[in-house]
């Protein structure tokens, strides 16, 4: 009985040593010190336009927008809410929206045309 147990243990150790280490990639650095650092680490990979979205670059609208992967946007939300829940921002209109798309496997943002801000 002990020999079988020892054999199984050796096989398990051998198998564990041969197994590939799979790196789990997170959409943002969850140990980031602040929202800006988390945003900088955000995943921007994509396969299609629908993989991309935009997030605020800072607490206020006028800080602009950044194109990121949708999973990264969801992960950034916690950082944004923690840092920006009490941010004092002006109520002016800012023309900083972007339209996101997937180009060569990377989420890219282009400024939204000025005429698209107004209702016809």
């Amino acid at each position: 009985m002990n020999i079988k147990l020892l054999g199984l243990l050796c096989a398990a150790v051998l198998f564990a040593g041969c197994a590939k280490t799979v790196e789990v990639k997170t959409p943002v650095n969850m140990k980031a010190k602040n929202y800006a650092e988390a945003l900088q680490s955000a995943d921007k990979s994509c396969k299609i336009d629908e993989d991309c979205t935009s997030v605020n670059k800072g607490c206020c609208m006028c800080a602009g927008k950044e194109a990121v992967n949708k999973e990264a946007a969801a992960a950034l939300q916690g950082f944004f809410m923690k840092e920006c829940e009490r941010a004092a921002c002006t109520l002016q209109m800012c023309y900083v929206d972007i339209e996101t798309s997937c180009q060569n496997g990377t989420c890219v943002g282009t400024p939204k045309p000025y005429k698209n801000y107004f209702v016809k």
Side-chain angles (χ1 to χ4, degrees):
M1 179 84 169
N2 287 338
I3 294 175
K4 286 183 180 179
L5 186 59
L6 183 61
L8 285 173
L9 181 61
C10 288
V13 168
L14 180 62
F15 180 73
C18 293
K20 287 184 177 180
T21 304
V22 177
E23 184 180 326
V24 176
K25 185 177 178 186
T26 57
V28 298
N29 176 6
M30 298 309 285
K31 295 181 181 180
K33 296 174 191 163
N34 55 39
Y35 180 72
E37 189 176 297
L39 178 59
Q40 187 176 19
S41 73
D43 180 19
K44 295 183 179 187
S45 66
C46 59
K47 293 182 181 175
I48 58 174
D49 289 348
E50 287 73 24
D51 291 341
C52 304
T53 191
S54 63
V55 295
N56 290 333
K57 285 185 179 178
C59 295
C60 298
M61 283 178 50
C62 292
K65 300 275 189 172
E66 182 79 23
V68 298
N69 179 284
K70 283 187 176 180
E71 289 181 20
L76 286 166
Q77 189 64 26
F79 286 95
F80 183 82
M81 295 304 292
K82 181 179 178 184
E83 189 169 319
C84 299
E85 73 179 340
R86 298 177 196 259
C89 299
T90 62
L91 296 176
Q92 66 192 42
M93 178 61 179
C94 302
Y95 301 102
V96 295
D97 278 345
I98 61 175
E99 294 175 346
T100 59
S101 63
C102 183
Q103 296 179 15
N104 299 321
T106 302
C107 292
V108 176
T110 54
K112 183 177 177 180
Y114 180 75
K115 66 180 180 173
N116 291 354
Y117 284 93
F118 304 99
V119 179
K120 294 179 181 180

